[in-house]
Amino acid sequence: MKFANDFLFGAASASYQVEGAWNEDGKGISNWDVFSKIPGKTFEGTNGDVSVDHYHRYKEDVKLMAEIGLESYRFSISWARIIPDGDGEINQKGLDFYNNLIDECLKYGIVPFVTLYHWDIPQVLEECGGWTNKRTVDAFVKYANVCYKAFGDRVKHWITFNETIVFCSLGYLAGAHPPGIKNDLKKYFQATHNVFTAHAKAVVAYKNLRQFGEIGITHVFSPAFSIDNNPDNEFAAYHANQYGIAWYYDPVLKGEYPQYVVKYLNENNLTPEWTQEELNIIKIAADDNDFIGLNYYQPQRVMKNIKFENSKESSRDNSTGAPGNVSFDGVYKTVKMNDKKYTKWGWEIAPDAFLEGLKMFKANYGDIKIYITENGLGDEDVIIQDEVVDVPRIKYIEEHLVAIKKAIAEGINLKGYYAWSSTDLLSWLNGYKKQYGFIYVDHKNNLDRKIKLSGYWYKQIIEERGENL
Ligand code: BG6
C-alpha cells in the first residue's frame, strides 16, 4: 500500500524551541524567557535565547527541509513576537518574520501548518494569572484573529493549542513548567477550561472569516492500558483515560465535558468557574472543528495504586504517562514493564499500542480527520566520520509509520504525519542533549546544519509514498 497523495509527510517544531532572537525586533518577553532563567529549572540552565537560531537561519532550514522532500512544515508562532504584551499593539516586525517564513515554505511547495500556541505566552499575561485568568481567553482570540488576517491567505491549516494537558499539568500540578505552581487542582482545571473556551472561540472566529482553510487542536495522545486483566487495574486504566483523554478530547470533539470527571469535580469543589455562554460556545465549536492533531510518543501502562506514594520529582519525564508516577488523586500509577522497550529517557517505544490507541480513538470519536502532529525519538545521536548515523530514529519512525499504514487500512481517517522534529532543537527541560531532528545542529561549531541519515531515509519514504515500509 502507498500513502495517498493527499497524505502530508512533514516535520514539526515550536517557536521557543528553535527561534532564538528572544529580544529582537520588538519581540515581547515570554513566560519561558523568564522561567528558563530561574536557577535549577532547566537542564544545565539551558534556555531559548539563541536556541538553534531559526529566526535568522530560517531560509537555510527551509532549504534543507526541501532537500529532504518535506511536504509540510508544522511550526508555531510566538505570541509575544506578534503582540509583545499579549493584548496591545501589534509588532509589524513579528508579522514580517512569519510572512517571510511562510513565503519561504511556499517557494518550495512546503505546506505551512501553523500552531498558534506552543506554550510561550507573553509574560505580561502570565503575570496576570495566565490561563487561569479569563482575560487571557479574549487576548488569545484577538491574537488568533491577527494571525488569520495576516497569514490566512497562505496558511490553510491552523492548530490552536499544543498539548493542553502538558502545559497545564506541568504548570499547575508538577510545577515543572511556568508558572511553576505545584498541586493546585483548582487552577489546573480552571486553566484547562479556559483553554477549551479559547480554542472554541478561536475556531468560531476563524470560520466567521470564511478563509476556507481548516482548524483544529493538538493533544498529547497517551492512551492508558491496564498491565493485566485484573479488574482493579482495568478500572485504573479506565479512570486514567477519563482524566487524560476524555477531559481533553470530549469538549473539543463532542462539545461537552465527560460526566465521570465533572461528577468528581462537583463533589470535590473543583468545578471550574464556567458560564453557560462558555459551555454553549464549546458545544457550537465542536461542529466546526475540522481535525484533531495527535502527538503520540508513548502509552501509559497503569495499575491500581495500592498505597499512596508521591511521584519521585516534578519533571517532564514523569508527567505524561512515563513510568513511575502516581495520578494526582492517588487512584492509579504508571509502571515500567519488563517486556517493554524504553528510550534512554524512559519513554516506552510502542508502535503496537499506537495502533491499539487509534482503534480506541475511532471507537470513541468516529471519523474525525486526524493528523499525527508529533512523533519521534529523543536520543543522543551517534556521529561516525562526520555523518549523523541515527539508525534508532529511522527504526522508530518506520515502526510508527507502519502502524499508521495499518490504521489507515482499518479505516482510520489519518491524513498526515509530522515527525518531531525538523531540526534538532531545545528540549524544554532536557536541553540540547536530547535530539529529535532530521537535521543535525552542531552546537560546538557555529550551529552548522547537516542532514542526518534519517533525513535521507525519510526523503526516500516520501518519494515512494511509503510503499516499501
Ligand atoms: C511534546 C512537545 O510534548 O514533546 C514538544 O509538544 C516536545 O514541544 C516534545 O519537545 C518532546 O519532549 P521532550 O521533553 O523530550 O523535549
Side-chain angles (χ1 to χ4, degrees), residues 24 63 66 75 110 173 239 303 332 390 400:
E24 283 182 47
K63 188 163 183 272
F75 58 88
I110 296 175
L173 297 181
H239 185 86
M303 64 184 292
Y332 68 91
D390 54 341
H400 287 81

Side-chain angles (χ1 to χ4, degrees), residues 293-348:
L294 306 183
N295 289 354
Y296 176 81
Y297 289 90
Q298 61 180 329
Q300 304 185 55
R301 306 293 175 184
V302 307
M303 64 184 292
K304 180 180 171 167
N305 182 38
I306 293 156
K307 119 176 142 15
F308 194 90
E309 326 151 38
N310 275 321
S311 298
K312 325 183 262 296
E313 58 188 31
S314 300
S315 86
R316 169 73 168 89
D317 294 327
N318 67 14
S319 65
T320 46
N325 293 288
V326 176
S327 60
F328 73 82
D329 54 5
V331 171
Y332 68 91
K333 62 180 174 186
T334 55
V335 293
K336 190 164 182 173
M337 295 178 74
N338 289 336
D339 61 340
K340 310 289 180 213
K341 283 187 296 179
Y342 295 88
T343 72
K344 278 184 198 160
W345 276 266
W347 292 19
E348 189 185 333

Side-chain angles (χ1 to χ4, degrees), residues 32-78:
W32 273 94
D33 293 325
V34 176
F35 186 80
S36 61
K37 287 164 194 154
I38 302 172
K41 292 295 183 192
T42 63
F43 176 74
E44 293 178 347
T46 38
N47 64 51
D49 284 5
V50 177
S51 194
V52 296
D53 202 22
H54 187 55
Y55 188 78
H56 297 112
R57 300 172 78 147
Y58 70 93
K59 285 194 180 172
E60 184 186 348
D61 289 342
V62 174
K63 188 163 183 272
L64 289 167
M65 289 181 216
E67 266 179 46
I68 293 173
L70 291 194
E71 297 176 321
S72 182
Y73 175 36
R74 172 183 174 228
F75 58 88
S76 79
I77 293 179
S78 157

Side-chain angles (χ1 to χ4, degrees), residues 223 225 296 299 301 339-341 348-359 399-400 402-403 406:
F225 297 94
Y296 176 81
R301 306 293 175 184
D339 61 340
K340 310 289 180 213
K341 283 187 296 179
E348 189 185 333
I349 302 177
D352 50 339
F354 185 26
L355 179 58
E356 214 40 53
L358 286 168
K359 288 186 200 165
E399 287 175 347
H400 287 81
V402 168
K406 289 183 187 160

